[in-house]
Amino acid sequence: MTRVSRRSWRLSPLTAAVRYGLGFTLIGAAGAALAQQDATEVETDTVVVSATALKVATPTIETPRAVSEVGRDELDRRAVDKYDETFRYRSGVVSQPYGSDNNADWMFLRGFSAEGSTYQDGLRLFRTGGYFWWMTEPYGLERVELLKGPSSILYGEAPPGGLVNAVSKRPTAEPQGEIELQVGNKGHRQIGIDTSGPVSGRDDMRYRVVGMVREGDGELDGTDMDRYYFAPSLAVDVSEDTTVTFLASVQKDDGVPTTGFFPAYGTVEGTPFGKIDPETNLGQPDYDNLDQRQLSLGYELEHRINDTWEFQQNFRYSNLDLELRSVYPNSYVTPPRSISRGVVDRDGGYDAFTLDNRFIARTYTENTENTLLLGAGYQRLDLDYDNADSFRTLGDGSSYFVNIDTVDMFDPDHRAFSGPETGDPTHHDVEKEQVGVYVQDKFRLNDKWIFLAGARYDSVDSRDVYRDETGRSREGYDDDQVSLTGGVMYLADNGLSPYVSYSESFTPLASTDASGESYEPLEGRQFEVGIKYAPPGFDGYVTVSAFDLEESNTLITSSAGAQRQIGERSSTGIEIEGMGYLTDNLKLTASYTYTDTRVDVSEEQQDEHAPLVPYNMASAWLDYDFAGALHGLSVGGGVRYVGSSANSPDAGETYKVPSYTLYDAVVRYDVNEHWGAQLNVNNLTDEEYVSGCDFYCYYGESRSVIGSLSYRF
C-alpha cells in the first residue's frame, strides 16, 4: 500500500467520479495496473490503493476487509529497525509479545500468532522447523501491509489472524539516493545506502541498490547481533506492455541471541529476594551463538495482453542456512532460587520455491465495473537439519529431555558452565509442497455497491522423516482444502462505506492421533462488519471494524491422556483506526483495540482466556511540521497503552500480567534538501514492564535512543 499525492491517474469513467470525491482513500500499491485502463484522466489529492487484500490494485475504500499499512516515511520517522515494531501504532496487533528478541520477530494478529503469516512481495516467507525463521529487514522495505483475518482464499495455508506482506524497495524512474548514519545506546551502530534511478543511457531500464550494516547489543547481558544486508533490483521494460522486475537480497545475522525466558516467580510475582533484573541472562553468553544466512532471487512479471486482460507472475527462490546454540531456563523454580536449564542446538537449512500466476480481467458497462481474478500458486520447501536439543522427539518416536545444569536465577554464574552432552543428534528431512488454484470476482454496481466473492482449492503435502541411533519415524499430512470468501460494501456520497464480509483459512497439522491417523487441518472462519470513513475535503480516514473469528479442530487433552481434535480458539473484538491531518502541519495517527480471545485447553478447561493477548490496547501519535522561520524542523510523539493479560490456563497458578504505558518521541531537522538529522527515543521513561506471560514471562524493551544523520542526493 502507498499514498500517491497530486498524481494524475487514468481511471474508467465509472470510477472517476467516486474516486475524485474521496480525497484520501486508503492504502495502495500497484497504480500501474490502473494507469493502463482506457478512460478519463482525473486528478485527486491523494489516492491510496492496495494489492495485498484482493491481489488486484484496489482502493481500500472499495475493499470489504480491514487493512492497515505503514509506509516508508513512517518507518523512517519512527526509526523502525526491527520488523515486529512496524505495527505498534495500528489496531489489532500485539507487537513483541515475547519481549525484544534479537533473533526473531513476533506479532499476534487478532489474538492469533503471526508465525505463519509473513509474506514479502506477495510470496510466502517460510518460518519452519521451530527456529528456521526468515528475518525481514525493515531498511529494505517500501511499506508493510496488513490484511486482518483469514486470507487462505488468495494465499493458501495461513493462520486465521491475518497476513503481513512486506513490499521491497523498487527501482525508480527518477534518480535518487541517500546515505544514513545512526548511533545510539545499547551499542547501536548502523550505516545504510539506498540509490536508484535509470540505467545510464537507457530509458527502458531502472535499478536500485540497497545496503546496510548494523550492530547492537541485546536486552540481556552479554547478547549482541550484527546484520549485513544487500538488496539489488532491476526493472526492465521488455515492451510497452511488458515489464520484468528482478529482485534479490543477501542477509547475514551473527551474534549472541537473547534468551528472554523468565519464570513468573521474580517477574510478575514477588519473592523474598526481590525481582529478577530485566538484563539478567539465564542463558550462556559465552556459549550461545547464532549464525544465519539468507539469500533470495526472484522476479515480478507484468504483461498487458489487451484492453481487458492482464497477466502477472511472481517467483522467488529462497535459501536459509542456520547454526544456532542457545541455553534456556525451564519455567519451574527449584526453591529457594534455583532454576534448571536446557539447550537448543540446531544446524541446517532450507531451499524454498514460491510461484504465483494471475490473470486479471476488467470489464465495464454504463453502470457496472467487474474485476475477475484467476490464479494458480505453487510452494515447495526442502528443509534438512540436525536437532541436538535437550527436549526433542527421537527417531523411534519417543520423547527425550535432559537438564544440562542448574543456576541461581537472581545471580547466574556463567563461569561454572561446561558444554552440554545431549546425545546423538536427530536428523530431520522435511519436504512440503502446496498447489492452489483460485478465482475471485469483484463487482461494482451503480457507483454504490461492491460485491466480492471468491473460492480456492489447495492440495498440500508434507512429510518429516527423522532418524537417529534409536530408529526412524515419520510425520506428515496430505490434505485437500476449499476456502471461501465473500463481502458486500456500500459507497455513500458522504464518504461512509459500511461493509460486511466472510472469510476462511486453514492450517494443516503434521501430528497424528492415537490410531495413527493424520489430524484434520485447523479451520478458521471470520465474520466481519465495519465502516470506513473518508470524508470529502478531509485528508484522512477512520476505520471501525468488529469481528467474530473462530478456529476449529484444535487439539485438546482428553481425560484419557490422548489429544482429541474437538477444541477451538475464538476471538471477538472491535478495532478503531484513524489517520489524518488536523491542520496543514499537524497529523494524528490513532488506534484502539478490544480483543477477547478464548481457547479450549482440555475437556475440563474450556473457554479460557488466551495468554499474551490483552483485552484492551490503544495508541496515538502526533507529528507537527513547523513553518516560517522554523521550516525544516518537525517533532513527533506517541503513547502506547497495553492492557493486562493472562498467562496460559494450563500453566498451573493463574495470575494477571499488569498493563503498561509507553511513550516515544522524535525530533527531526532538515537543514536543506540534502542534509537531515533526527533523534528518536522509544520508551522515553525507561519503563520496566513484563510484555506478557504464557508458561514463561517476558520483559519488554528498555529505553532506546537513536541519532541519525542522512545525506540525500
Side-chain angles (χ1 to χ4, degrees):
M1 297 174 277
T2 187
R3 294 180 54 189
V4 185
S5 299
R6 305 302 299 173
R7 171 87 179 261
S8 295
W9 293 84
R10 299 182 60 84
L11 303 176
S12 70
L14 181 63
T15 60
V18 171
R19 295 181 190 175
Y20 182 81
L22 289 176
F24 187 95
T25 51
L26 315 169
I27 309 178
L34 294 174
Q36 292 173 351
Q37 299 179 27
D38 294 331
T40 306
E41 185 174 273
V42 297
E43 186 177 87
T44 68
D45 289 332
T46 310
V47 172
V48 191
V49 294
S50 172
T52 294
L54 302 181
K55 273 195 179 176
V56 179
T58 306
T60 305
I61 201 68
E62 301 179 11
T63 305
R65 293 287 301 274
V67 186
S68 296
E69 173 261 347
V70 175
R72 184 69 250 169
D73 288 345
E74 184 175 347
L75 293 173
D76 289 336
R77 185 80 166 183
R78 293 198 282 111
V80 173
D81 62 3
K82 196 167 184 301
Y83 193 45
D84 54 12
E85 300 174 358
T86 302
F87 293 107
R88 282 177 169 174
Y89 287 89
R90 297 297 186 273
S91 64
V93 182
V94 181
S95 298
Q96 298 184 334
Y98 302 107
S100 183
D101 190 341
N102 68 357
N103 65 309
D105 298 311
W106 299 100
M107 289 178 278
F108 272 65
L109 310 176
R110 290 190 166 177
F112 291 81
S113 173
E115 183 174 338
S117 301
T118 52
Y119 281 67
Q120 187 154 347
D121 302 321
L123 299 174
R124 185 177 184 181
L125 298 174
F126 285 95
R127 297 186 169 189
T128 188
Y131 297 90
F132 295 85
W133 281 44
W134 190 273
M135 295 289 288
T136 302
E137 171 50 48
Y139 188 75
L141 305 180
E142 196 63 47
R143 62 191 177 276
V144 187
E145 304 173 354
L146 167 61
L147 171 61
K148 300 175 185 178
S151 55
S152 287
I153 167 61
L154 296 177
Y155 296 95
E157 173 191 346
L163 180 143
V164 181
N165 183 37
V167 180
S168 303
K169 289 180 176 179
R170 312 297 174 88
T172 60
E174 297 297 326
Q176 66 178 40
E178 180 183 58
I179 298 175
E180 182 184 56
L181 300 175
Q182 290 186 354
V183 296
N185 68 335
K186 306 177 191 176
H188 178 85
R189 304 289 186 272
Q190 177 176 312
I191 180 171
I193 183 169
D194 180 0
T195 180
S196 179
V199 174
S200 179
R202 303 288 297 267
D203 59 3
D204 59 349
M205 297 179 66
R206 300 164 297 282
Y207 77 94
R208 191 161 191 166
V209 176
V210 181
M212 187 276 303
V213 178
R214 177 192 303 127
E215 63 180 28
D217 298 330
E219 289 290 320
L220 306 183
D221 291 333
T223 60
D224 61 78
M225 195 63 62
D226 298 339
R227 173 170 292 180
Y228 308 90
Y229 175 80
F230 178 66
S233 56
L234 179 69
V236 180
D237 297 327
V238 181
S239 68
E240 291 184 357
D241 296 320
T242 306
T243 298
V244 181
T245 302
F246 299 95
L247 300 164
S249 69
V250 179
Q251 182 172 308
K252 184 180 188 300
D253 292 324
D254 185 19
V256 179
T258 58
T259 308
F261 303 96
F262 294 91
Y265 186 74
T267 53
V268 296
E269 295 179 351
T271 78
F273 314 102
K275 292 290 185 73
I276 301 175
D277 190 304
E279 296 182 359
T280 302
N281 190 340
L282 296 179
Q284 191 63 33
D286 58 352
Y287 174 82
D288 296 347
N289 181 67
L290 170 77
D291 185 348
Q292 179 165 315
R293 304 173 187 182
Q294 300 176 180
L295 167 70
S296 71
L297 301 169
Y299 65 85
E300 296 181 347
L301 169 67
E302 296 182 353
H303 174 64
R304 182 174 179 267
I305 300 172
N306 53 39
D307 291 342
T308 300
W309 287 93
E310 178 182 356
F311 175 69
Q312 299 175 353
Q313 183 181 78
N314 292 20
F315 169 80
R316 181 170 61 234
Y317 162 74
S318 305
N319 172 265
L320 184 148
D321 185 75
L322 171 71
E323 294 180 18
L324 172 65
R325 293 196 316 262
S326 180
V327 174
Y328 64 89
N330 293 310
S331 59
Y332 301 105
V333 177
T334 302
R337 46 189 289 167
S338 296
I339 196 165
S340 61
R341 300 194 298 179
V343 65
V344 170
D345 190 337
R346 304 288 176 98
D347 185 0
Y350 70 64
D351 295 296
F353 300 87
T354 49
L355 175 70
D356 191 52
N357 302 280
R358 301 176 298 282
F359 285 94
I360 302 168
R362 298 179 177 88
T363 55
Y364 309 91
T365 69
E366 183 177 353
N367 297 311
T368 66
E369 175 182 337
N370 194 78
T371 303
L372 175 66
L373 172 67
L374 303 174
Y378 175 76
Q379 302 176 9
R380 180 175 177 86
L381 171 75
D382 294 293
L383 167 65
D384 289 283
Y385 68 96
D386 288 326
N387 179 348
D389 294 4
S390 288
F391 177 76
R392 64 182 186 269
T393 301
L394 299 178
D396 62 3
S398 62
S399 296
Y400 174 88
F401 179 73
V402 58
N403 287 327
I404 62 172
D405 64 7
T406 301
V407 297
D408 182 337
M409 64 186 191
F410 291 91
D411 186 20
D413 183 3
H414 296 123
R415 297 169 301 175
F417 178 80
S418 60
E421 176 55 54
T422 58
D424 183 48
T426 302
H427 180 76
H428 287 254
D429 182 2
V430 181
E431 293 183 3
K432 184 174 183 178
E433 193 171 48
Q434 174 180 298
V435 179
V437 293
Y438 54 94
V439 57
Q440 177 184 271
D441 193 75
K442 175 175 169 285
F443 181 73
R444 179 180 179 133
L445 177 65
N446 293 329
D447 285 343
K448 296 294 184 183
W449 291 96
I450 301 292
F451 300 93
L452 178 70
R456 179 180 178 118
Y457 168 79
D458 281 289
S459 174
V460 290
D461 185 10
S462 177
R463 68 173 179 87
D464 180 359
V465 178
Y466 46 98
R467 63 186 183 275
D468 53 33
E469 60 184 3
T470 67
R472 182 178 185 273
S473 297
R474 171 177 175 151
E475 286 185 347
Y477 53 81
D478 183 0
D479 294 313
D480 298 324
Q481 190 77 14
V482 174
S483 306
L484 304 175
T485 191
V488 179
M489 191 175 212
Y490 180 75
L491 305 178
D493 293 333
N494 61 2
L496 283 171
S497 300
Y499 68 90
V500 59
S501 67
Y502 171 79
S503 54
E504 296 180 344
S505 67
F506 75 97
T507 306
L509 296 174
S511 53
T512 57
D513 61 21
S515 62
E517 296 295 325
S518 297
Y519 288 113
E520 295 293 321
L522 302 176
E523 296 181 348
R525 303 175 185 85
Q526 175 183 272
F527 290 93
E528 178 178 317
V529 296
I531 297 177
K532 300 183 180 184
Y533 186 40
F538 176 70
D539 194 3
Y541 74 90
V542 176
T543 299
V544 181
S545 58
F547 63 90
D548 186 348
L549 176 57
E550 177 186 296
E551 183 180 62
S552 59
N553 294 338
T554 60
L555 300 177
I556 67 172
T557 302
S558 68
S559 57
Q563 286 191 312
R564 299 177 60 197
Q565 201 167 17
I566 59 175
E568 69 177 38
R569 183 183 178 107
S570 63
S571 186
T572 57
I574 298 172
E575 298 167 353
I576 304 172
E577 182 176 307
M579 179 186 298
Y581 283 88
L582 306 181
T583 69
D584 289 343
N585 303 91
L586 182 63
K587 179 183 177 182
L588 170 66
T589 301
S591 72
Y592 168 75
T593 303
Y594 170 80
T595 311
D596 184 7
T597 304
R598 301 282 172 166
V599 61
D600 294 340
V601 179
S602 66
E603 292 177 328
E604 292 75 26
Q605 289 182 286
Q606 302 278 313
D607 199 35
E608 300 281 354
H609 188 53
L612 302 171
V613 183
Y615 281 112
N616 296 283
M617 296 187 297
S619 67
W621 179 281
L622 280 170
D623 282 311
Y624 185 78
D625 297 327
F626 288 88
L630 296 178
H631 177 71
L633 177 65
S634 61
V635 296
V639 56
R640 295 177 276 139
Y641 169 79
V642 179
S644 63
S645 59
N647 69 322
S648 289
D650 56 343
E653 185 178 352
T654 300
Y655 50 84
K656 292 290 185 181
V657 179
S659 63
Y660 56 90
T661 302
L662 306 175
Y663 303 91
D664 307 320
V666 61
V667 178
R668 180 174 179 84
Y669 182 59
D670 289 319
V671 180
N672 52 42
E673 62 177 337
H674 298 294
W675 289 96
Q678 182 170 305
L679 178 67
N680 288 84
V681 184
N682 291 331
N683 190 1
L684 188 66
T685 61
D686 201 19
E687 179 77 9
E688 183 180 306
Y689 64 99
V690 174
S691 60
C693 295
D694 43 24
F695 287 94
Y696 293 95
C697 290
Y698 312 92
Y699 280 115
E701 184 182 21
S702 62
R703 179 167 51 211
S704 168
V705 181
I706 296 178
S708 307
L709 179 66
S710 60
Y711 177 74
R712 297 178 294 272
F713 55 91

